Amino acid sequence: MTQEQAENDVCEKTEGWTHEDVGKRIVKRETPNGTYFNELIVNVFCQMCAAEFIGPSREAGGFLGGHECLHAWEFSQVMGRNDGLTE
């Protein structure tokens, strides 16, 4: 990989990622929870409701997991359960 290719694969943004940023890496990202290095910017979506997320891979996991929990709760409401679980 050339220096120019490596530079093109880096995203300097700390927020506001777009489709053009997907596949690039954030060299260093500091959060209240820790510091992330070489984190990939990804594009994911919820298969249930088609909500979409573009951003760091760590947050993408939270987005997907959060939607999974939300939709499980919605299903439990339809099934008439009140404990938040589905069968």
Side-chain angles (χ1 to χ4, degrees):
M1 179 181 293
T2 67
Q3 180 70 23
E4 184 177 323
Q5 286 174 319
E7 289 174 5
N8 289 338
D9 290 341
V10 171
C11 182
E12 300 293 333
K13 293 180 185 176
T14 58
E15 62 184 333
W17 297 282
T18 65
H19 285 96
E20 290 77 31
D21 299 316
V22 173
K24 294 181 180 181
R25 294 193 175 273
I26 304 168
V27 176
K28 181 179 178 183
R29 185 171 71 93
E30 296 182 30
T31 74
N33 297 325
T35 303
Y36 297 84
F37 296 94
N38 298 312
E39 191 171 21
L40 189 63
I41 299 171
V42 297
N43 179 202
V44 298
F45 66 94
C46 175
Q47 294 181 353
M48 291 297 300
C49 67
E52 184 178 10
F53 174 86
I54 298 174
S57 55
R58 172 61 183 91
E59 276 75 12
F63 168 85
L64 292 171
H67 271 256
E68 183 178 350
C69 289
L70 168 67
H71 296 307
W73 178 83
E74 290 173 333
F75 290 142
S76 73
Q77 297 303 297
V78 170
M79 293 172 53
R81 296 192 54 174
N82 60 9
D83 60 5
L85 301 175
T86 61
E87 294 184 273

